[in-house]
Amino acid sequence: MPTRVNRQTVDLSSYPDLTVVYLGMRVNRLYGLRTLMGYGPQIGRSAKDQPAGLIHSESLMWSLFPMHVGIRQYWQDLPSLLAWARSEPHRLWWRNFLRDSGGTGFWHETYLLRGGMEAVYDDIPHHRGFAAFAPLHPARGAMFGSAARVGRPEDNTAPVLTENDLYARGSEQ
C-alpha cells in the first residue's frame, strides 16, 4: 500500500545571513585513525558547547573505508563562523593540522544564503564537492583565507596562521 509523503519546507526569512559549512576529515594513512579519533570527540564537544552564532550542528559519515567523517553546521552569519574558527580550541586544532596532517586530509565548503561559496581541500586525494568539477588552485595569496575566497574580504579576521608562517621553511610558530 502506498504511503502518503509528508512534504514540508522551511521559512529562512529569520536567517538572512545564514552560513552553512560542511567539514570533512578523511583518513589517508592507517595512523590517521589515531588523529581522527583524537580530534573527532573534541570537535563534537565544541559544537555541544554552542559557540556564539552556531544554530545547529550535525555529524555525517561519507564512508567507512577509507574512514571519512564530517560535520554540517548552520551559523547565524559568516563573522560568527570566522570568530569561532579563530578562537580556542579550533584555532589550535587548525594550526596543528596545518603543520602535520597526522595521516588525514581535511576539507570544508562554505555556502552563504546571501550569496558566495568557497572551499579548501588539504591533503584530499580524491576530488570531491566543488573540486570534482571546478578548476583547482593553490590556496595562496588572495585564495589563502576563507573570507576572501567567499568574496567577503571585509569579514576577514587574522588567520590562525599567516600564509608566510604556514609556508616559511622551519616555521615553529
Side-chain angles (χ1 to χ4, degrees):
M1 170 178 218
T3 55
R4 188 173 183 102
V5 173
N6 179 14
R7 192 163 181 245
Q8 298 178 329
T9 188
V10 294
D11 175 1
L12 296 175
S13 61
S14 297
Y15 305 95
D17 296 311
L18 183 67
T19 300
V20 180
V21 63
Y22 281 79
L23 308 146
M25 186 173 252
R26 180 186 188 277
V27 173
N28 291 334
R29 292 171 193 81
L30 190 55
Y31 66 90
L33 280 171
R34 186 182 67 181
T35 302
L36 176 66
M37 295 307 155
Y39 280 123
Q42 294 177 51
I43 293 168
R45 279 192 302 274
S46 74
K48 287 180 183 165
D49 291 343
Q50 274 307 119
L54 179 63
I55 298 168
H56 185 69
S57 183
E58 302 171 329
S59 297
L60 304 167
M61 178 170 282
W62 280 279
S63 67
L64 285 172
F65 187 79
M67 179 68 74
H68 189 167
V69 297
I71 300 171
R72 177 177 44 221
Q73 294 181 331
Y74 300 87
W75 289 84
Q76 172 182 312
D77 52 31
L78 183 61
S80 297
L81 170 57
L82 292 175
W84 177 77
R86 302 305 185 251
S87 68
E88 299 301 339
H90 182 273
R91 188 185 73 79
L92 181 62
W93 300 333
W94 189 232
R95 188 191 69 199
N96 291 344
F97 173 83
L98 289 173
R99 289 188 179 146
D100 179 1
S101 70
T104 65
F106 174 82
W107 61 273
H108 81 242
E109 293 184 353
T110 309
Y111 313 88
L112 284 70
L113 184 62
R114 288 198 181 188
M117 295 181 251
E118 68 84 28
V120 71
Y121 308 91
D122 296 308
D123 288 342
I124 297 295
H126 303 287
H127 296 167
R128 62 178 311 101
F130 298 141
F133 61 88
L136 290 171
H137 298 278
R140 305 287 299 256
M143 299 296 277
F144 185 73
S146 59
R149 286 192 304 267
V150 81
R152 301 273 297 272
E154 70 277 8
D155 289 326
N156 208 9
T157 56
V160 171
L161 282 177
T162 67
E163 184 174 3
N164 189 50
D165 289 339
L166 179 60
Y167 295 111
R169 288 157 90 39
S171 174
E172 296 301 320
Q173 221 174 23

